[in-house]
Amino acid sequence: MAETSETLLLRAPLSGVLLPLAAVPDPVFAEGLFGDGVAIDPLGDTVVAPCDGVVLHLAATGHALTLQAPCGAQVLLHVGIDTVSLRGQGFAPCVAQGAAVRQGDALIRFDAERVARQARSLVTVMAVANGNAFAVAARTDAAVAESGRTVVLQVRATDAAGAAQAPAPAPQVESTHSADAAPLRRTVTLACAGGLHARPAARARAAMQGLEATVTLHYGGRQASLASLVALLALAADEGAAVELAASGRDAGAALDAVARELQRTDAGEEHAVFPVSAAPAPAAAGGELPPGCIAGVSAAPGIAIGPLHWWRDAAPEPDEAGRGADAERAALQAALAAVDARLVRDSAAASARRAHAEAGIFAMHRALLQDPALLAAAETLIDTGKSAGFAWRDATRAEAAALSAMADRRAADRAADLIDLGKRVLRALARTGGGEGDAPADARVPVAQDGQPVVLAADEFTPSDLSGLDRTRVAALVMVRGGPTAHAAIMARQLGIPCLVALGSALERLPDATPVIADADHARLHASPDQHLLAAAASTITLRAQQHQADLRAAHAPASTRDGVHIEVAANIGSVDDARAAVAQGADAIGLLRTELLFLHGDAAPAAADHTARCQAIADALEGRSAIVRTLDIGGDKDAAWLRLPAEDNPALGLRGVRLAQVCPQLLDDQLRGLLAVRASAPLRILLPMVSEPGELLHWRARIRALAAEIRADAGIEVGVMIEVPAAALLADQLAEHADFFSIGTNDLTQYTLAMDRCQPELAARMDALHPAVLRMIAATCEGAARHGRRVGVCGALAGDALAVPVLLGLGVTELSVDAALVPATKARVRTLAHADCRQRAPELLRLASAAAVRDACRRYWPA
């Protein structure tokens, strides 16, 4: 770029990789709120002047300054992200405010290693601060800049360059119920998020098991038997719809109650109900068109990845049409169905063991589909006409899938992929000999790129069996021609932590194997054959995230103390032995919440005392001397166990949950307490009681624990705490603290009860913010009540892992944060950037703000995260 009298050339203030502002991990810079410019991932430790000028402003902390060029352009230089929180530590300004400097003069020196360890990012921004008068007219195509030499931006006054461009902006359903002279009828309103999709339909059908009754659902002038999931899905009854139930048979009344209860409960297991799906386009080129090689899609799982495209070639075996006789083909089909069912049982158990409960639910739903009488009847009808088992099953599943795909309801259409998946599983089982399981591990069907680089795996549409057992190290991202963010493959991608793009369309189909791509699920874009600039920017983003994670991980096993020396315990929330091992590996100081219901939720029978002892003993042994807080069974509300038949409730979130469950199942909690008292651990094991709302409940259970301890000759001195999740408990915290040894605040439930908003309701998800001042007042009341009796307070809800919320919680008096194991390193790193005295001083004023948004804005100002 040649400089003219009308232009200002800005040279690189640092050596490093050049990035677009959109790649900066801070929305203020990424969205251009400070002006247009460029970012640099630095390879040096000295910021030099990008042009001649005068230092208009120098931050007191030394991390940023603004330079005014002779033409009047004001150039902001900002080293790192969130570096203001370092209070000047690691920065050494080389100039004073008001000083005149020449291009290339040293402005700021910084300790790169120290800043990288303590701040969120080292990425440095250069932006034109007075964009109303000056605009970026051109920028370099280089991927790497040399300090003081590479011209990276060309700036012109707007009267010379013109105004800066604005940024681019059902089928018929057959009734299968048997006639009854006087069926029982009831009209219910569907409360499950998303309406009558697969999971509530499967739950409703499971609720009838063991009952002699038939139930049909009537909606929109059509009806479907509860025995057929496919028929139920085809009704397309949406959330809030009124459906009529008709039951007949000896147990008609009980069946009607059971089905009504399932249809009137919310469906917390469907993760997509609260997952923020982004289909917003990335900034487009001039004219609103996408850049060359850029394909727009829908983000189903966040993240960014680079790799060669590899098409998933996993067609099921092509079956012969002609059969070998009806009896032989029926036997072959039954054997294949049994083999696939056994595999689904193992897949579901494996998912449950790693706490991927939505994934486990998917496989459980597939088992229910596998037993669908309508599918089996359709296949057997074809077998009776002389077709092979494989041909018959394939045609039956394809026909039902086609019917679902044609429906306007997106969630019902997404379930068509589940039917196709079952079709493939059974065809593989039929093709194998010797009674095999019917599925090869997914790892065996994913190649390793020649250079060892993970691939971006592409398909028309993935199914759950495609992803079962997938080796995360071989796959950088998943991309699909079709599919939606509510599909089960998308849910599994999120749980696997794999970036996923769906609905990329025919443009993806035209890309051949080995095409280099960037899968940017954060911006819902796939870049094919990207240029070096895009590759460098994406690689730098990936590297920065990985470096930050590694830096946090290296320090994760050290205690977390604030800058002024206050120790904060950072613990982990777990639900299995594997989770316990992961918590230890991630540096957790302790276990702040063991969700014991997750150990038994998918079992066949209620756990006995010995079962509790065995499971919790194994976890205690895996903790290598760390203490653990064990929450007693929190079943009810949005968590149900197949072995526990609770009475129907109009509002289960307000009903028999937590310790309240003992009102109808006293033996259940007694068995658990006996089991916990028998555990022998090398560090304290503490009992946490959920859904306590008044001191009398706590006193009752403390007495019961003492009695059970005497009965089995165990130590009666075990600590007992109260989970603060009911507003009544927060407001009575001072009375509860007289008898409780500690408090643990469950912010998820406390928020829904305080705000009177169902946390499983997707329409309210954006407003379910635990930083709402009303919720913060509940937390403050809890901490104040605990302090009067010298009790400690922890937070085990999702708020503990929110970086913006950490200083608020510390400021209100919380001394323990319990988060998912993967968040332990970052949470400890966050604690180390804070001054406890500053948190204590500022937090109370947040209680006087009017909204969660106002609290978050204040937190960003006080403690940028």
Side-chain angles (χ1 to χ4, degrees):
M1 299 182 213
E3 186 167 15
T4 71
S5 59
E6 295 181 343
T7 65
L8 170 68
L9 301 186
L10 295 179
R11 301 178 187 273
L14 276 164
S15 294
V17 178
L18 292 172
L19 306 172
L21 285 185
V24 177
D26 185 321
V28 174
F29 291 119
E31 296 170 11
L33 300 186
F34 264 125
D36 195 5
V38 69
I40 301 175
D41 185 7
L43 298 175
D45 60 3
T46 302
V47 179
V48 304
C51 61
D52 296 348
V54 174
V55 179
L56 275 186
H57 175 261
L58 174 65
T61 51
H63 72 288
L65 61 76
T66 303
L67 191 68
Q68 181 163 304
C71 65
Q74 297 171 359
V75 183
L76 170 75
L77 299 169
H78 191 287
V79 182
I81 304 301
D82 293 347
T83 42
V84 66
S85 64
L86 302 184
R87 302 291 195 269
Q89 297 179 30
F91 291 95
C94 305
V95 293
Q97 189 164 302
V101 298
R102 303 283 294 176
Q103 189 272 316
D105 287 352
L107 301 178
I108 300 171
R109 289 192 173 88
F110 57 95
D111 184 336
E113 183 177 349
R114 181 176 185 178
V115 175
R117 187 171 60 250
Q118 294 183 299
R120 184 150 60 98
S121 172
L122 260 181
V123 169
T124 295
V125 172
M126 179 169 69
V128 180
N130 54 342
N132 59 325
F134 293 86
V136 174
R139 61 188 78 231
T140 182
D141 292 329
V144 179
E146 183 179 350
S147 176
R149 297 180 64 86
T150 306
V151 177
V152 292
L153 297 177
Q154 182 176 340
V155 176
R156 290 182 183 173
T158 53
D159 58 354
Q165 289 185 350
Q172 292 298 313
V173 183
E174 181 181 354
S175 172
T176 59
H177 81 283
S178 59
D180 191 290
L184 299 179
R185 295 182 179 274
R186 183 183 304 175
T187 298
V188 300
T189 300
L190 295 179
C192 36
L196 191 60
H197 54 91
R199 196 157 302 158
R203 285 175 175 163
R205 194 177 79 167
M208 282 184 57
Q209 288 182 357
L211 299 176
E212 290 187 19
T214 59
V215 177
T216 55
L217 273 71
H218 299 254
Y219 175 70
R222 297 177 295 164
Q223 61 188 41
S225 168
L226 199 69
S228 175
L229 288 182
V230 174
L232 291 171
L233 292 176
L235 288 177
D238 207 351
E239 182 178 354
V243 300
E244 185 183 40
L245 305 178
S248 58
R250 189 182 72 180
D251 299 326
L256 204 61
D257 288 342
V259 173
R261 173 174 168 267
E262 289 300 326
L263 298 182
Q264 291 176 315
R265 60 177 277 186
T266 56
D267 186 9
E270 195 72 20
E271 288 195 356
H272 64 254
V274 295
F275 181 78
V277 175
S278 170
E289 297 180 358
L290 292 171
C294 181
I295 305 172
V298 173
S299 175
I304 186 169
I306 301 171
L309 195 74
H310 175 78
W311 280 96
W312 177 257
R313 313 293 185 189
D314 192 46
E318 187 67 25
D320 294 330
E321 182 173 354
R324 300 163 297 171
D327 290 343
E329 295 300 335
R330 282 174 181 267
L333 180 58
Q334 289 298 331
L337 293 175
V340 172
D341 186 66
R343 178 59 186 264
L344 287 169
V345 169
R346 285 190 286 276
D347 287 346
S348 182
S352 294
R354 64 175 186 275
R355 210 155 56 87
H357 299 295
E359 184 180 338
I362 291 168
F363 292 128
M365 190 277 292
H366 279 200
R367 291 190 67 203
L369 276 177
L370 198 67
Q371 299 158 11
D372 194 304
L375 280 177
L376 187 59
E380 289 183 339
T381 297
L382 287 171
I383 288 174
D384 289 340
T385 66
K387 306 301 184 185
S388 71
F391 185 92
W393 181 260
R394 186 193 65 182
D395 275 23
T397 53
R398 281 183 178 178
E400 296 291 0
L404 289 175
S405 295
M407 295 175 63
D409 182 82
R410 180 54 185 266
R411 285 187 172 92
D414 281 344
R415 297 294 79 81
D418 294 298
L419 279 170
I420 295 299
D421 194 25
L422 279 176
K424 290 195 304 184
R425 280 185 180 262
V426 174
L427 287 177
R428 292 190 198 112
L430 285 165
R432 290 170 66 92
T433 59
E437 294 177 1
D439 274 320
D443 296 352
R445 306 192 296 272
V446 179
V448 178
Q450 290 183 352
D451 59 357
Q453 184 180 17
V455 299
V456 174
L457 206 57
D460 180 68
E461 186 169 10
F462 289 105
T463 61
S465 69
D466 294 335
L467 305 184
S468 177
L470 198 67
D471 185 348
R472 178 67 178 85
T473 63
R474 294 188 183 186
V475 179
L478 300 172
V479 294
M480 305 184 216
V481 175
R482 299 186 299 119
T486 66
H488 283 152
I491 295 173
M492 291 178 65
R494 294 196 285 274
Q495 293 199 322
L496 290 167
I498 299 177
C500 181
L501 286 167
V502 298
L504 289 162
S506 59
L508 174 61
E509 289 182 300
R510 293 192 289 269
L511 298 181
D513 268 331
T515 302
V517 297
I518 299 171
D520 184 358
D522 290 341
H523 297 93
R525 293 288 183 262
L526 182 77
H527 299 277
S529 302
D531 60 26
Q532 291 303 309
H533 178 74
L534 275 175
L535 281 172
S540 179
T541 299
I542 294 169
T543 300
L544 286 170
R545 292 179 181 178
Q547 287 175 344
Q548 184 63 56
H549 176 69
Q550 289 302 316
D552 293 346
L553 195 57
R554 284 194 297 272
H557 292 272
S561 296
T562 61
R563 297 205 314 269
D564 46 358
V566 176
H567 174 69
I568 302 297
E569 184 173 78
V570 179
N573 300 331
I574 67 171
S576 69
V577 174
D578 286 343
D579 286 353
R581 297 189 184 104
V584 171
Q586 294 289 329
D589 299 326
I591 299 305
L593 177 66
L594 168 55
R595 301 180 176 100
T596 57
E597 64 277 0
L598 299 184
L599 299 171
F600 305 102
L601 210 56
H602 299 290
D604 297 325
D611 298 321
H612 288 291
T613 301
R615 295 288 186 92
C616 291
Q617 186 67 60
I619 289 172
D621 293 343
L623 292 178
E624 299 178 6
R626 290 166 175 80
S627 63
I629 294 175
V630 182
R631 183 176 68 187
T632 57
L633 293 168
D634 189 14
I635 294 175
D638 61 358
K639 292 190 290 288
D640 197 2
W643 42 263
L644 184 64
R645 291 193 179 276
L646 295 174
E649 296 181 86
D650 290 336
N651 196 337
L654 302 179
L656 295 173
R657 290 191 53 192
V659 294
R660 301 173 181 175
L661 188 60
Q663 294 176 30
V664 294
C665 304
Q667 189 63 38
L668 191 64
L669 191 51
D670 274 2
D671 283 344
Q672 179 166 32
L673 293 173
R674 286 190 183 94
L676 293 179
L677 289 167
V679 173
R680 297 293 175 259
S682 57
L685 195 71
R686 305 179 175 103
I687 292 176
L688 179 64
L689 301 173
M691 293 300 290
V692 170
S693 57
E694 59 187 41
E697 288 178 298
L698 173 58
L699 289 169
H700 168 79
W701 287 109
R702 292 214 72 141
R704 188 64 187 143
I705 290 169
R706 285 194 297 270
L708 292 172
E711 176 187 308
I712 65 171
R713 299 183 180 180
D715 181 9
I718 191 169
E719 291 189 15
V720 179
V722 168
M723 194 159 185
I724 305 294
E725 51 195 332
V726 179
L731 297 174
L732 295 179
D734 57 336
Q735 297 180 36
L736 287 167
E738 291 184 52
H739 313 289
D741 295 305
F742 62 94
F743 288 152
S744 186
I745 303 176
T747 52
N748 302 350
D749 273 325
L750 183 61
T751 302
Q752 82 162 341
Y753 293 137
T754 301
L755 301 183
M757 292 181 184
D758 185 348
R759 64 189 178 109
C760 302
Q761 173 60 263
E763 285 78 6
L764 298 176
R767 298 179 61 189
M768 275 286 298
D769 193 332
L771 279 180
H772 191 288
V775 180
L776 295 182
R777 291 188 184 196
M778 292 291 178
I779 296 172
T782 301
C783 293
E784 290 167 7
R788 293 177 192 171
H789 300 277
R791 310 302 188 195
R792 62 188 182 279
V793 179
V795 172
C796 60
L799 196 65
D802 184 335
L804 274 182
V806 168
V808 185
L809 296 175
L810 269 56
L812 294 177
V814 171
T815 58
E816 181 226 39
L817 303 169
S818 192
V819 300
D820 287 345
L823 295 178
V824 167
T827 304
K828 284 191 169 185
R830 176 64 164 158
V831 168
R832 296 183 186 113
T833 67
L834 303 170
H836 194 265
D838 178 58
C839 297
R840 293 290 284 179
Q841 179 182 355
R842 293 185 182 275
E845 70 184 70
L846 303 181
L847 307 184
R848 297 189 291 273
L849 297 179
S851 67
V855 172
R856 288 195 176 274
D857 287 343
C859 289
R860 291 187 185 98
R861 292 195 306 271
Y862 297 154
W863 310 286

